[in-house]
Amino acid sequence: MVLRPPVAPMLAQAAEAIPRTRPGAGVAYEQKFDGHRALLFTPPVPGGPALIQTRRGSMVQDRFPDLVAAALEQLPPGLVLDGELLVWDPEAGALSFEALQRRAAARARGAAALAARIPAYFLAFDVLQLDGVETMGLPYRERRRRLEVLFSARALTAPWTLCPMTTDLATAQDWLETWTDVSGVEGLVIKPLTSKYLPNTRGWTKVRRRDTTEAVIGAVTGTLARPQLLLLGRYDQDGRLRAVGRTVALRPNAARQVAERLTASASASASGHPWTGAVFSAAWGSRDVLDVTLVRPDLVAEVRADRAVDHGGIFRHPLRFQRLRPDVAPEDVPGFGAGAAAASG
C-alpha cells in the first residue's frame, strides 16, 4: 500500500531531563533541531510531483520549490521521509527560524526568489516508505539502517542531511550540554530501538536544553492575588521594556510567592505602563489573545528557558518560573536579545 498524504507523524513527549532506561533497553538519541516538522513524499513512479506535508497535514511544496526540484532529481520514487525543514541564513552564518518562517509563508511568486537567497534543507531522521514499500511496522533500528543506506548509496548531500544519532548515553549528554550552544540545535529526541512508527502517538521523548536566566515581570494573567501566568520583558538599548515571553502556569506555592510582591500599575488606566495598549498572544504564532493585568515592572523573576529564541530576543516556548530575584534590579537583567544563555548572576 503506497502512503499518500496526509500521514500523521509520530510524536514525542516532553521531559525535563534524559530519562533513565532499564538495563538492556536500547535507545537512540537524535539531535533535535529548531525547524519545521515535515514529511516528504516522492512520486510512486517517475514523472509525478514531489509533496511536502507539515505536521498538521498542510501541503507546502509550493513554498519550497528548491526542495521539490532536488527531490525529483536525487531521490528514488516511492519514498517517504520524516524530518525537519531548516533554513541557513548566510548573513547570520547560522540556522534561522525567522528565515524559515519567511519561506513557509511565501506565496508562489516569491517562493523562487526566496529559495535562491535562503535555500532550505531537509534533515531526515526516519523513513516511512522506501521503494514504494511501507516501513512503519519495522523497528526503529532497521528503519534507521535503511535510511543510512539510502544516504550512502546515493551519496546524498545538501539539501539532504542525515540527522546525527548515537546510542551512547555519554555522547548524548555531551550533545545536550555543548552542541546546544550551536545555533539551531535545541536538544535531543530519544527513541526506543525496537519501536515501530506509530502515527499520532507520543512514543518518543524530547528533551530541550534549558538555561536559567532572568526577566522583568510586566503583567500577569489571573488576578494580582492569584496570578496564573507571568508576562516577562527585558529592556532594549533605548530603555524600552520589550516583551520576551510568558511562563507556564504557576504552581500554587509559586503563585503565592509572586502575589505577595506584585504591585498593580500606577493608575487604573495603566497609562504610565510601557505595555499600555499591548496585545499578548496566548502562544507563539497563535491568534488567541490573553487577558492580562499590568503590574509595576520592578520585580525580577528567575526562569528556565530553552534555546528556541528569535534573533529579536523573544522566547518561542513558555518559560519555567524558578523563583523571584529581589536581589536583582530590573536594569541588571540581561538586555533584550540576550537569549537564554545570559544571566545576571
Side-chain angles (χ1 to χ4, degrees):
M1 180 178 177
V2 176
L3 291 177
R4 301 182 185 277
V7 173
M10 192 165 175
L11 305 174
Q13 182 67 44
E16 288 297 307
I18 298 177
R20 294 183 178 181
T21 57
R22 67 181 186 276
V27 296
Y29 305 92
E30 295 177 351
Q31 291 183 3
K32 185 182 187 308
F33 284 75
D34 189 18
H36 277 188
R37 183 78 178 274
L39 301 182
L40 184 141
F41 300 74
T42 61
V45 295
L51 305 174
I52 301 175
Q53 174 203 313
T54 69
R55 171 179 168 173
R56 297 182 181 276
S58 300
M59 306 309 299
V60 294
Q61 58 274 1
D62 60 326
R63 320 287 173 86
F64 298 92
D66 45 343
L67 288 182
V68 168
L72 295 176
E73 179 181 351
Q74 301 173 24
L75 301 181
L79 177 69
V80 180
L81 295 176
D82 190 0
E84 293 274 345
L85 296 174
L86 304 171
V87 168
W88 180 267
D89 186 342
E91 294 183 3
L95 293 175
S96 172
F97 191 85
E98 292 163 303
L100 176 60
Q101 286 291 89
R102 293 200 299 273
R103 288 293 310 269
R107 299 299 180 187
R109 290 183 179 180
L114 273 178
R117 285 179 35 233
I118 44 175
Y121 297 84
F122 190 91
L123 180 88
F125 52 68
D126 216 323
V127 57
L128 312 190
Q129 181 174 281
L130 186 61
D131 297 327
V133 178
E134 182 199 311
T135 59
M136 293 191 296
L138 298 175
Y140 169 88
R141 179 190 288 110
E142 177 61 18
R143 299 198 311 275
R144 175 72 190 198
R145 187 191 70 80
R146 296 189 184 195
L147 184 61
E148 291 174 354
V149 169
L150 171 69
F151 268 75
S152 61
R154 291 191 166 255
L156 294 178
T157 56
W160 315 110
T161 303
L162 182 61
C163 182
M165 183 276 284
T166 184
T167 57
D168 180 62
L169 176 58
T171 300
Q173 289 173 327
D174 181 62
W175 284 353
L176 188 62
E177 294 168 5
T178 62
W179 282 63
T180 44
D181 289 329
V182 180
S183 179
V185 180
E186 61 174 12
L188 301 171
V189 177
I190 304 160
K191 304 178 178 180
L193 292 176
T194 58
S195 64
K196 298 178 181 180
Y197 190 99
L198 304 174
N200 206 33
T201 299
R202 295 190 181 276
W204 301 333
T205 302
K206 59 183 176 183
V207 180
R208 291 188 174 95
R209 172 171 167 178
R210 293 189 180 277
D211 295 299
T212 301
T213 189
E214 291 90 28
V216 179
I217 303 174
V220 301
T221 66
T223 65
L224 294 179
R226 291 187 178 181
Q228 296 174 349
L229 308 178
L230 305 181
L231 285 295
L232 303 171
R234 285 176 169 175
Y235 286 95
D236 63 17
Q237 293 180 341
D238 298 323
R240 295 177 299 170
L241 185 64
R242 305 281 295 275
V244 296
R246 67 169 181 84
T247 65
V248 298
L250 298 179
R251 295 185 177 184
N253 287 343
R256 286 192 292 271
Q257 175 191 359
V258 172
E260 290 174 357
R261 290 180 173 270
L262 283 178
T263 305
S265 193
S267 65
S269 64
S271 58
H273 195 284
W275 291 349
T276 299
V279 175
F280 299 92
S281 61
W284 194 91
S286 170
R287 294 184 179 181
D288 295 332
V289 175
L290 293 174
D291 182 15
V292 306
T293 299
L294 300 178
V295 299
R296 198 162 67 193
D298 57 3
L299 195 59
V300 174
E302 180 179 299
V303 294
R304 293 184 68 211
D306 62 35
R307 293 302 180 94
V309 184
D310 287 343
H311 290 315
I314 298 173
F315 297 95
R316 287 200 303 279
H317 301 143
L319 309 166
R320 266 70 168 173
F321 174 79
Q322 297 296 107
R323 57 175 177 154
L324 292 177
R325 290 296 303 270
D327 56 320
V328 177
E331 58 268 24
D332 294 328
V333 166
F336 181 73
S344 62

